Amino acid sequence: QVQLVESGGGTVEPGGSLRLSCAASGPTYCSFYMMSWYRQAPGKEREFVSDADRDGNPTYADSVRGRFTISRDNANNTIFLQMNSLKPEDTAVYYCKARTLCIGRPSDDWGQGTQVTVSS
């Protein structure tokens, strides 16, 4: 069935950069529409970070606007999150979400997350 796999997380010093990837896969009769990044820090609610529609039009949370850039490669059902000028408060598990439509059967599908740690 549908599967999302995140990669690219790691540990970086404040001011550094990371690039996250999320590859979606599934049956040929499924299409991936809005794809999003969320994050969750320990003891905190999961929060929206960024999303991109099928055409790549982006939306950003205020906390990351100007520092993060989302993009997508529809041919490979992949989205990316370029994270620059990272701050300690960006530390979280980052999750990819896809709005999936499989012959009129909609679903929200989530990856298992990738850890991003920003510390000195």
Side-chain angles (χ1 to χ4, degrees), residues 100-115:
T100 310
L101 189 64
C102 304
I103 314 180
R105 182 172 52 195
S107 64
D108 286 331
D109 297 288
W110 292 84
Q112 292 189 345
T114 185
Q115 177 71 48

Side-chain angles (χ1 to χ4, degrees), residues 4-56:
L4 304 179
V5 180
E6 300 98 335
S7 62
T11 301
V12 66
E13 294 188 353
S17 297
L18 286 172
R19 183 175 174 86
L20 306 183
S21 299
C22 170
S25 61
T28 57
Y29 52 82
C30 295
S31 297
F32 301 98
Y33 289 88
M34 186 73 75
M35 298 185 71
S36 308
W37 289 100
Y38 288 74
R39 67 187 182 187
Q40 187 168 22
K44 301 292 185 179
E45 296 286 335
R46 187 170 298 187
E47 66 174 349
F48 171 80
V49 175
S50 182
D51 63 23
D53 66 14
R54 185 74 174 174
D55 296 319

